[in-house]
Amino acid sequence: MKYQSQRVALYYFAGALGLFVAQILFGVIMGTIVVVPNFLSELLPFNIARMIHTNALIVWLLMGFFGCAYYLIPEESETELYSPKLAILQFWLFLFGAAAAVVGYLFRIHEGREFLEQPLWIKLAIVVVALMFLFNVSMTVLKGRKTAITNVLLLGLWGIAVFFLFSLYNPSNLILDKMFWWWVVHLWVEGVWELVMASVLAFLMIKLTGVDREVVEKWLYIIISLTLFTGILGTGHHYYWIGTPAYWQWIGSIFSALEVVPFFAMVIFTFMMVWKGGRSHANKAALLWSLGCSTFAFFGAGVWGFLHTLAPINYVTHGTQVTAAHGHLAFYGAYVMLNIAMFTYAMPNLLKREPYNQVLNMWGFWITSSGVTFMTFALTFAGVVQAHLQRVMGMGFMDVQDQLGLFYWMRLGAGVVTLLGVILIVWSLAVPGSARQAGRVAAQPAE
Amino acid sequence: MTDHSEAHGGWGALDHLPGNPLMWVLILSELVVFGAFFVAFSVSRVLHPAMFLAGQAKLDRLAGGVNTMLLLTSGLAAALAVSACAAGDTRRCRRWLAGAGLLGVGFLGVKLAEYAGKASQGIGIDTDTFFTLFYLMTGFHAAHVILGLVILAVVAWKPSLENAETGAAFWHMVDLIWVLLYPIVYLIR
Amino acid sequence: MPSRTTLLRAWGLMMGLTALSIWAAVSDEGPAPATAAMAAGLFKGLLILWVYLNLGRGNPGWKAVFIVFLATIAVLVLGIFLLGPLVAKP
C-alpha cells in the first residue's frame, strides 16, 4: 500500500466477505431444501432463498470489484483517491440497499424478475451508488497517471453501470423483456466483468511476478479485444428459444463458441507471466488464487460454457442442471477467485500484517475449489441424465427429479465442504496469523 | 516484415505481421468466425440438399463474380497505396486509397442490387436455412466492407506507413474472405 | 514491398482464375467444377496473402499457419460437399 486512501478498500473487502458467507449459507440451505423439500418451507420458500443466494453473490462480487478498484486505482494512478469520504458513504449506502433488499425478500417484497428482483427504489439506489463510485474513480484517474490497466478497468466499470440501466427497462412484451434482460445478465458476466477481471489480473501479475508493465499491457489489450469480439455477439446464445428470429441460433452458436478463447488467453497469460517473472513474491497465496482464477474460469466459463452453447445441443440441455453446473463453476472461477486473489494480495498490505495466515488461506483455496469442483461434476452428471430422460425419452419433470436424488445429495455434501472452505478463507483474511507462521513465510520483501 | 514494424516489439509472433498487431487479433478472429460459417454452411448443405440447390439457383453467380473482380482490383489498389506510402509519396498513396475505396463502394452497390432483387422476390433472412446463412455470411462480409471503407478513409487522412499497412491488412482480409465465400456459397453445387 | 509488376501479374492471374471458375460453374455442376472453384478460391486467397500482403517474404511460421488454415477450410468444405451425401443417405 502506497496511498492512505487505499484503506477505504477494507470496508468493501469486509462487506464482500460477510455477504460471501451469507451467500454460501443460503446455498447450503437451498441444497438442503432440494433433498428435504419441507425444510423451512413456511419460513423460507425455495424461490426466496434462491433470490438471496443469487443476489448476495452479485452484490458481494460488485462490492469486491469496488474494493479492488479503490485499492488498485490510487496505486496505478499514483495519486490519492479523489474523495475517500465519498467512498465510505457509498459503501454504507450500498450495504444498506443490499440489506434492505434481503429483508424485503424475506417479507416477500420483490419484483419477481429473475436476478433483477430488487424493488425499483433499490435499483435506483444502486444507480446512485454506481454514479458516486464512477465519479470518484474517474476523477482519481483523471488527476493521476493513466495506464492501460486503469483504462481497461474504467471501461469495464462504466460498462457495468451502463448495462445495469437496462434492468430499469421492463417492456410488457415478454420477448423484448428477456432480450434486454440479457443485456444486464450476459453483457455483464461475458462482457464488461471480463474487462475488470483481465485488468485486475494484469495488476496482480505486475505486482506478484515483477514482469515488465509493457509486456502485461500487450496481453491485456489482446485479451480484451478477444473478449469484446466474442462476448458481445455471443449474447446470441441466450436468444435461441425466447422468440427472437432463428438467425440468432447461428450467430449465438458461432460467436459464443469462441468465448472460450479469451479465457484460454488468460490462462496462457498468467502462467507465462509467472514463468517469465521468476520473482518469488512472499504472498504465495495471492499467486495461487490468481493462477486458480484463470484456470477455473477457463474450465467453468470457457469449457463448461462451450459444452451447451451450440444451438442443437442447447435444444436438449436448456435449463437443465448442466446450466447450474456451468453457472457455479464459472462464477467461482472467474469472479469469486478474482476477488479473493485481490483480497489476499491487498488485505495484508492494508492491515500492515506480514504474518498473515497464508497456509490457512491456501487450505481454504484447495477445500473450496474441491467443493465447487465436486459440485460441478455432480450437477453435470445430473444435467446429462436429466436432459436424456426428460428431453430425449420424454419423461415427466418430477419423475426425472426423483431419479436425480443421489446427485442432489452429492451436491449438498459438496456445498457443505464449500462452506467450510469459505469460512477458512474468511478467517485467514480477517484474523492475524501467529508469529510462528510469520517465520515460515517471511521471504524477501516485495511490493 | 518491414523495418517499420520492428518499432513495436514485444508482441511476440504478431510482430512478424505488417501493421498494428491488434488489427491482426481482429483479422485472425474474423478468419476463424468466417471459417466456422463456411463449415456450418457446408454441413447444412448436406442436411438440406434440395433447399440449397433451389436457393443457389436463385443467386446471381455473375454478380458474385463481378464483385470478386471488383474486390481483387480494389486489393491491388490498396497494395499500390502501401507501396506509394513506403516510397514516401503521400499524394499517390491517397490516390490509390481513394481508388480502392471507390471499388469497395462499387462492390456494395452490386451487393445492394442483389439484395434488392431478392427482396422483390419476397426472399429474406427468414425464408429458409439457406437464405439465413446467405444473408448472415454476405451481410457480415458487407459490414466488414463498410468498416474497411471507414478504415481506408482514416488511413487517407493520416497516411503513415504503419497506418497504411494496418488498413491494407484489414482490406486484404475482406478480399480474402470474399474469394473463399464466393465459390462456397455461389459456385459449389 | 512487392514491385508493381509482381502485383499486376498476381492481379491478372486472379482475374483470369475468377473468370474461369465462373465459366466452369455456369456451364456445369457437380464434383469437377466444385473442386475447380474451391481450388481457385484457395489459390487466390494465398496469392492475396503472399503478394498483396507481402507475406511471401515474411515469417515462415505465419506462412505455415495461413496455408494450414486455408487448406483446412477448403478440404473441409469440399470433403463435406463430396462425401457428406454418402453419409447422409446410407
Side-chain angles (χ1 to χ4, degrees):
Chain A
M1 187 188 74
K2 289 176 182 149
Y3 299 90
Q4 277 307 310
S5 52
Q6 285 175 292
R7 289 184 64 86
V8 297
L10 272 178
Y11 286 85
Y12 290 84
F13 293 167
L17 287 173
L19 284 166
F20 185 19
V21 176
Q23 180 227 333
I24 303 303
L25 201 59
F26 275 87
V28 171
I29 291 172
M30 287 165 70
T32 312
I33 297 174
V34 169
V35 288
V36 187
N38 286 329
F39 180 66
L40 295 179
S41 60
E42 300 288 317
L43 196 66
L44 186 71
F46 185 81
N47 66 318
I48 300 289
R50 185 171 185 269
M51 277 178 215
I52 298 176
H53 178 61
T54 54
N55 281 222
L57 167 73
I58 301 298
V59 169
W60 91 254
L61 293 177
L62 285 174
M63 202 173 261
F65 288 168
F66 291 160
C68 291
Y70 281 136
Y71 183 87
L72 183 157
I73 283 182
E75 194 151 324
E76 277 289 296
S77 303
E78 297 183 333
T79 176
E80 291 287 353
L81 196 61
Y82 180 77
S83 169
K85 284 207 181 77
L86 186 65
I88 292 169
L89 179 67
Q90 179 216 334
F91 169 76
W92 289 113
L93 187 60
F94 192 34
L95 192 67
F96 170 75
V102 169
V103 173
Y105 293 164
L106 291 173
F107 288 96
R108 320 286 192 267
I109 300 166
H110 57 80
E111 289 191 345
R113 206 178 174 201
E114 195 182 9
F115 305 142
L116 303 176
E117 295 96 348
Q118 311 83 26
L120 180 64
W121 73 269
I122 290 189
K123 286 201 182 83
L124 294 174
I126 293 173
V127 173
V128 172
V129 164
L131 286 175
M132 288 161 82
F133 170 73
L134 290 173
F135 174 73
N136 213 348
V137 291
S138 302
M139 291 305 282
T140 311
V141 169
L142 282 178
K143 76 179 166 113
R145 180 176 69 145
K146 288 137 199 90
T147 66
I149 290 175
T150 58
N151 291 346
V152 172
L153 184 61
L154 278 188
L155 181 67
L157 295 168
W158 274 94
I160 290 176
V162 168
F163 288 117
F164 184 70
L165 294 178
F166 288 94
S167 74
L168 299 168
Y169 179 55
N170 191 359
S172 56
N173 178 329
L174 199 59
I175 297 168
L176 289 178
D177 166 3
K178 277 293 175 195
M179 204 185 117
F180 287 109
W181 182 80
W182 284 111
W183 285 35
V184 188
V185 178
H186 174 106
L187 290 179
W188 267 18
V189 296
E190 292 165 68
V192 290
W193 283 30
E194 265 180 78
L195 305 190
V196 174
M197 177 182 170
S199 58
V200 171
L201 276 181
F203 174 79
L204 287 171
M205 286 301 116
I206 289 179
K207 297 292 169 187
L208 293 172
T209 69
V211 167
D212 282 348
R213 177 176 292 276
E214 289 70 30
V215 178
V216 170
E217 286 181 345
K218 289 184 174 99
W219 275 98
L220 183 58
Y221 282 128
I222 291 175
I223 290 166
I224 68 156
S225 308
L226 292 170
T227 300
L228 295 174
F229 182 82
T230 58
I232 294 174
L233 283 173
T235 317
H237 65 176
H238 301 293
Y239 291 173
Y240 297 161
W241 329 116
I242 63 171
T244 39
Y247 53 77
W248 280 109
Q249 292 177 21
W250 294 100
I251 301 178
S253 296
I254 287 179
F255 281 90
S256 70
L258 296 174
E259 279 185 48
V260 67
V261 176
F263 284 107
F264 186 64
M266 282 194 252
V267 176
I268 305 282
F269 163 58
T270 49
F271 280 86
M272 280 272 282
M273 293 306 102
V274 172
W275 174 63
K276 270 181 149 182
R279 181 210 283 187
S280 155
H281 194 281
N283 200 333
K284 296 266 183 296
L287 193 62
L288 180 63
W289 281 105
S290 306
L291 293 175
C293 173
S294 64
T295 308
F296 274 73
F298 167 67
F299 282 104
V303 177
W304 255 257
F306 179 76
L307 284 181
H308 57 141
T309 202
L310 298 176
I313 293 169
N314 194 268
Y315 185 72
V316 252
T317 62
H318 192 85
T320 63
Q321 297 297 326
V322 174
T323 312
H326 163 56
H328 282 88
L329 194 63
F331 264 115
Y332 175 67
Y335 302 120
V336 172
M337 291 180 112
L338 178 78
N339 268 309
I340 303 297
M342 189 66 172
F343 298 179
T344 301
Y345 170 73
M347 283 178 81
N349 295 346
L350 289 168
L351 297 167
K352 300 203 167 55
R353 276 184 199 156
E354 281 310 321
Y356 52 92
N357 287 314
Q358 182 152 232
V359 175
L360 200 63
N361 185 313
M362 292 203 263
W363 273 102
F365 171 94
W366 289 111
I367 291 173
T368 312
S369 301
S370 309
V372 178
T373 304
F374 191 79
M375 183 187 306
T376 303
F377 278 107
L379 290 174
T380 307
F381 289 128
V384 171
V385 171
Q386 185 188 7
H388 183 72
L389 294 181
Q390 201 174 308
R391 305 277 163 77
V392 182
M393 310 286 284
M395 272 172 75
F397 178 81
M398 292 312 283
D399 297 328
V400 175
Q401 291 300 310
D402 278 343
Q403 303 289 318
L404 303 179
L406 177 65
F407 295 116
Y408 290 147
W409 277 106
M410 282 157 62
R411 187 261 298 271
L412 177 59
V416 173
V417 173
T418 305
L419 180 63
L420 286 176
V422 169
I423 291 169
L424 276 185
I425 295 166
V426 174
W427 182 274
S428 74
L429 289 172
V431 181
S434 64
R436 186 176 57 81
Q437 273 185 329
R440 205 162 3 143
V441 295
Q444 59 272 64
E447 291 187 81
Chain B
M1 178 79 16
T2 59
D3 291 333
H4 184 83
S5 53
E6 277 162 24
H8 289 294
W11 288 94
L14 293 176
D15 281 330
H16 300 297
L17 293 165
N20 190 309
L22 281 177
M23 179 57 91
W24 280 94
V25 175
L26 177 68
I27 290 171
L28 296 171
S29 309
E30 303 282 12
L31 284 179
V32 173
V33 166
F34 275 100
F37 265 116
F38 294 156
V39 174
F41 182 89
S42 304
V43 172
S44 300
R45 186 203 324 258
V46 172
L47 297 177
H48 315 280
M51 177 205 291
F52 273 59
L53 263 182
Q56 276 180 312
K58 296 196 180 101
L59 298 184
D60 189 343
R61 282 187 286 272
L62 194 61
V66 169
N67 259 349
T68 307
M69 293 183 170
L70 280 172
L71 276 192
L72 287 173
T73 314
S74 176
L76 173 70
L80 288 168
V82 175
S83 292
C85 215
D89 191 341
T90 306
R91 260 191 50 177
R92 209 152 51 88
C93 172
R94 284 199 169 116
R95 273 216 303 272
W96 282 121
L97 285 172
L102 272 178
L103 288 161
V105 173
F107 174 92
L108 287 176
V110 174
K111 192 92 261 165
L112 216 63
E114 226 186 323
Y115 284 170
K118 297 280 164 299
S120 69
Q121 297 174 49
I123 297 173
I125 193 167
D126 280 330
T127 301
D128 55 27
T129 304
F130 174 80
F131 278 104
T132 298
L133 283 170
F134 170 77
Y135 277 106
L136 281 178
M137 288 158 71
T138 57
F140 266 129
H141 180 265
H144 285 89
V145 174
I146 295 171
L147 176 64
L149 289 175
V150 174
I151 292 175
L152 290 182
V154 172
V155 174
W157 175 42
K158 294 212 177 287
S160 70
L161 179 56
E162 192 202 351
N163 286 354
E165 281 183 337
T166 307
F170 185 81
W171 196 245
H172 291 318
M173 281 304 142
V174 173
D175 204 351
L176 169 64
I177 287 163
W178 183 261
V179 300
L180 295 174
L181 194 155
Y182 175 59
I184 293 171
V185 176
Y186 286 76
L187 299 184
I188 295 179
R189 67 209 157 96
Chain C
M1 293 292 147
S3 72
R4 180 180 280 240
T5 329
T6 316
L7 286 172
L8 278 170
R9 267 192 205 139
W11 172 77
L13 190 54
M14 290 192 283
M15 296 295 268
L17 274 174
T18 307
L20 268 178
S21 51
I22 298 173
W23 172 75
V26 170
S27 53
D28 195 12
E29 61 183 62
T35 309
M38 197 64 238
L42 174 65
F43 186 66
K44 278 186 275 185
L46 287 172
L47 271 182
I48 289 172
L49 291 168
W50 260 237
V51 182
Y52 278 10
L53 253 168
N54 204 19
L55 288 184
R57 281 184 229 161
N59 176 282
W62 279 112
K63 286 202 265 191
V65 167
F66 284 114
I67 291 178
V68 168
F69 178 78
L70 294 181
T72 306
I73 301 246
V75 167
L76 275 178
V77 168
L78 261 187
I80 295 169
F81 174 73
L82 298 175
L83 304 175
L86 305 178
V87 183
K89 277 179 277 174

